[in-house]
Amino acid sequence: MELNEYIGHLKYEFDIPVSRMRKIVREFHSEMKKGLCGRKSSLKMIPTYVDIPTGKEKGSFLALDLGGTNFRVLEVKLKGSGRTIPPKVMKFVLDKKRIAGKGDKLFDFFAGCIEKFIKYDGCRGPKERKLGFTFSFPIKQTGVASGDLVLWTKGFSATGVVGKDVVKLLEDALARKGLDSIKVTALANDTVGTLIARSYQDKDCDVGVIIGTGTNACYREKVSNIKKWPGAATPSGRMIINIEWGNFNKLRRAACDIALDRASKNPGDQILEKMVSGMYMGEIARLVLADMSKRGFLFSGPAKKAIQKKGVLKTQYASEIEADRSTGLSKTASILKELGIKNSTLRDREMVRTVCGIVSSRSARVSASALAAVVTKADPGLLKKHVIAIDGTVYERHPTFAKKMRRALKEIFGKKSSNIKIVLSKDGSGKGAAIIAAIA
Ligand code: BGC
């Protein structure tokens, strides 16, 4: 195969024209409906037991916000009337040993971090403190403050947690530290936290999205449409549904997607996430580049070996390469050097940038299609205004992602896309869990 032919094929494999975006919307709706009925579906459609807050919730709450390897402990003060005082925050990082070790040890570590925080905060004592727990993994929620982990995502594999109630695991770990006075009164997904935190101040907000290391969304659904819901209706008649959209699997995959999935810790799961999120975008580009290099289209000498190394092209690098406007793509040259590719030609670098762009375009267009499906689930004609609270490193920091996603929404909806207002809602996930703790 000639290079031109190869690039043509690559573009075809990754291209998502508007007709395919519309097809994704239709299939997404069908999976959503099946999930809501409790039928087999790639979308879990998890009832969260809560709806958006009134904005009048008040008080001081702790939150543990676990999104991925970075997590935070915070104290959130809600003033009522939609306002909060800027929270006190402590940040922590989980190393590989912890995310792949014993579950008990992982939760002991969380409890230790909470202990550290309250010592610094000066609020240790017999006084009961309520804590909202943001746990950003697929949870089968069994109550507003209970839920079992269905599966790990984002490279986590700690043992003894899948199938267990993560709130109980946290409370047991807190008790082992003598912190029984802390009561976990809310469990939330990060998308739910993000939606709740935004809707505390903005009543038009009805969807929460995360596009970062992992990806997912939640939205408000009529309780009468949640056929599998055995409980009573909420006062508003609506409930937030955690879609777990990262697992959507009605997507056409390219050869590198299949290779990436096979080599992952969770083969067969999280198919959309593996095309979209920050954990995988760089690796997809690397797999394409490695294949090109093998075919003799790219790199020479030791560079050929360097690009074969799994994980070497982090999404952050791919983002910086896509943003590179320097003469001779010198910035890309120095990034590649860091990866062990010392002798790239300008043509190599241009090719690398093109591939990074192809990968991020598909990611943005798949995300836009999924979002279009979520918004039109409740409002098929897109007649109302919808505020989408969004967070995550890919949406926030990638140089072209947000723009490409907006453009794709415009292709799907035309002028009506102006009814979708996407607002970056930073760090809402922890705050949202605290608000749920207040509602609960
Ligand atoms: C998890 C979701 C989470 C998303 C964003 C995914 O891997 O399954 O629960 O909301 O990442 O953090």
Side-chain angles (χ1 to χ4, degrees):
M1 202 191 286
E2 295 292 313
L3 176 59
N4 277 350
E5 205 184 326
Y6 186 90
I7 295 288
H9 177 69
L10 190 67
K11 286 194 172 147
Y12 166 77
E13 267 197 309
F14 277 75
D15 187 27
I16 309 205
V18 68
S19 56
R20 180 153 306 126
M21 290 200 282
R22 295 213 170 98
K23 186 160 180 265
I24 295 175
V25 172
R26 286 195 299 276
E27 288 183 324
F28 207 96
H29 280 161
S30 148
E31 291 290 282
M32 285 176 102
K33 282 181 196 147
K34 280 194 244 164
L36 287 173
C37 294
R39 280 166 56 204
K40 201 171 170 315
S41 165
S42 63
L43 296 177
K44 294 184 188 69
M45 307 298 285
I46 302 164
T48 61
Y49 291 73
V50 284
D51 189 21
I52 57 169
T54 58
K56 297 201 179 98
E57 294 74 8
K58 260 190 185 171
S60 162
F61 301 88
L62 294 171
L64 170 62
D65 181 6
L66 174 69
T69 45
N70 293 314
F71 74 97
R72 314 179 308 151
V73 180
L74 50 160
E75 187 189 30
V76 181
K77 289 195 171 135
L78 309 172
K79 295 189 70 175
S81 63
R83 284 187 301 133
T84 51
I85 291 173
K88 286 185 195 158
V89 184
M90 240 188 210
K91 294 183 179 166
F92 301 90
V93 180
L94 287 169
D95 56 24
K96 279 206 178 118
K97 211 175 70 214
R98 288 211 164 83
I99 67 173
K102 285 201 174 130
D104 284 352
K105 293 268 173 307
L106 179 67
F107 281 81
D108 279 339
F109 182 66
F110 295 150
C113 295
I114 295 172
E115 186 177 38
K116 223 185 232 170
F117 179 84
I118 57 178
K119 266 190 195 150
Y120 138 91
D121 196 32
C123 60
R124 183 166 193 153
K127 198 177 117 211
E128 190 176 297
R129 299 292 316 259
K130 287 184 180 172
L131 179 139
F133 184 15
T134 309
F135 190 79
S136 309
F137 298 91
I139 286 286
K140 185 175 180 308
Q141 219 151 335
T142 48
V144 72
S146 57
D148 305 339
L149 176 63
V150 181
L151 70 141
W152 282 121
T153 57
K154 296 180 277 200
F156 276 63
S157 60
T159 55
V161 188
V162 173
K164 300 263 176 64
D165 179 356
V166 293
V167 170
K168 169 108 189 10
L169 292 178
L170 181 60
E171 284 188 332
D172 288 350
L174 286 167
R176 288 197 287 275
K177 291 253 181 289
L179 296 172
D180 323 54
S181 57
I182 297 178
K183 301 286 173 224
V184 183
T185 57
L187 173 65
N189 184 258
D190 50 356
T191 57
V192 179
T194 302
L195 165 57
I196 295 250
R198 181 80 207 177
S199 58
Y200 188 63
Q201 59 180 76
D202 181 348
K203 290 289 150 278
D204 285 332
C205 184
D206 53 7
V207 179
V209 176
I210 301 283
I211 306 178
T213 308
T215 185
N216 186 17
C218 69
Y219 74 112
R220 297 180 72 204
E221 180 60 275
K222 280 190 193 146
V223 176
S224 58
N225 285 341
I226 313 171
K227 304 287 184 226
K228 65 182 173 187
W229 174 248
T234 53
S236 64
R238 288 178 189 269
M239 185 179 290
I240 298 172
I241 295 285
N242 168 13
I243 303 172
E244 284 295 333
W245 83 9
N247 199 48
F248 181 69
N249 64 8
K250 305 284 177 266
L251 295 164
R252 190 187 64 170
R253 290 193 292 170
C256 61
D257 297 313
I258 295 166
L260 179 140
D261 181 44
R262 281 204 187 123
S264 73
K265 286 207 170 124
N266 51 353
D269 292 329
Q270 302 294 100
I271 298 301
L272 179 144
E273 178 161 279
K274 285 171 181 159
M275 289 187 182
V276 163
S277 79
M279 177 141 181
Y280 305 102
M281 261 207 269
E283 180 64 1
I284 298 170
R286 185 200 68 83
L287 284 165
V288 173
L289 296 169
D291 184 48
M292 292 178 76
S293 170
K294 264 194 187 154
R295 290 169 187 264
F297 295 144
L298 204 67
F299 302 141
S300 60
K304 284 195 164 299
K305 198 161 162 222
I307 197 68
Q308 299 301 330
K309 196 166 159 223
K310 185 178 169 191
V312 65
L313 182 63
K314 304 251 177 309
T315 300
Q316 191 198 326
Y317 295 141
S319 305
E320 287 169 18
I321 290 173
E322 208 183 321
D324 188 6
R325 295 286 172 271
S326 61
T327 334
L329 295 182
S330 59
K331 183 130 197 265
T332 300
S334 57
I335 294 172
L336 291 176
K337 235 178 234 162
E338 267 181 57
L339 315 184
I341 299 171
K342 300 202 171 70
N343 55 340
S344 64
T345 63
L346 178 57
R347 204 178 130 271
D348 288 337
R349 299 196 285 277
E350 281 168 352
M351 199 61 74
V352 173
R353 196 176 61 176
T354 304
V355 169
C356 292
I358 290 176
V359 171
S360 72
S361 295
R362 183 182 67 166
S363 166
R365 292 174 81 81
V366 169
S367 307
S369 314
L371 179 58
V374 175
V375 175
T376 52
K377 167 75 176 60
D379 179 10
L382 198 57
L383 304 173
K384 274 183 24 210
K385 186 172 153 205
H386 300 269
V387 173
I388 319 298
I390 195 163
D391 199 3
T393 43
V394 171
Y395 187 83
E396 187 194 357
R397 298 197 203 139
H398 190 282
T400 60
F401 183 92
K403 222 187 294 157
K404 286 174 176 175
M405 190 171 162
R406 272 241 67 101
R407 204 182 303 145
L409 284 169
K410 202 158 185 198
E411 282 177 45
I412 300 174
F413 293 118
K415 276 199 194 119
K416 275 195 185 159
S417 71
S418 61
N419 271 350
I420 301 176
K421 188 171 157 211
I422 304 179
V423 283
L424 181 68
S425 306
K426 279 203 53 71
D427 301 336
S429 48
K431 195 162 116 190
I435 297 172
I436 302 175
I439 304 174

